[in-house]
Amino acid sequence: MKVLYHVGVNISSQTVMKKGNIDENSRPIKLETENEITLDGLQDVMLCKFNGMGTMIKLRNYGDTIYLVVPRLYFNVGTGFVICNYFATKKLKRIIESTQEK
């Protein structure tokens, strides 16, 4: 599943997010980027709605705050423009939460 992500405490409409992939079937879930992030130290997983930006997953993994979103459309022009896929983002949250409980 293709995702956009940002590692940092805050996020705004000026934040440039990076592209990554998540394999829904791997355990623990891994965010495949230029440096792989393993989501095995999850503390909080929340679905957050940001005005003007859409719905994102906010999670804490070993003290790092990571924002994830599944894009419906992504235009890589300038700093990029994304239209979020709300239902796929909710599905990804459920997948992440199911690995957290085990």
Side-chain angles (χ1 to χ4, degrees), residues 23-78:
D23 182 7
E24 302 171 39
N25 300 317
S26 68
R27 297 296 183 258
I29 290 183
K30 293 182 172 107
L31 177 57
E32 299 165 1
T33 64
E34 56 268 353
N35 53 347
E36 191 173 89
I37 300 171
T38 304
L39 303 178
D40 60 349
L42 295 172
Q43 298 164 351
D44 292 325
V45 180
M46 298 178 286
L47 201 62
C48 300
K49 184 170 179 132
F50 295 97
N51 289 336
M53 294 193 301
T55 302
M56 297 181 188
I57 300 168
K58 179 180 178 181
L59 57 91
R60 289 194 36 208
N61 186 50
Y62 290 119
D64 292 332
T65 303
I66 303 171
Y67 294 89
L68 293 169
V69 66
V70 179
R72 180 179 300 268
L73 293 173
Y74 177 63
F75 301 104
N76 195 7
V77 178

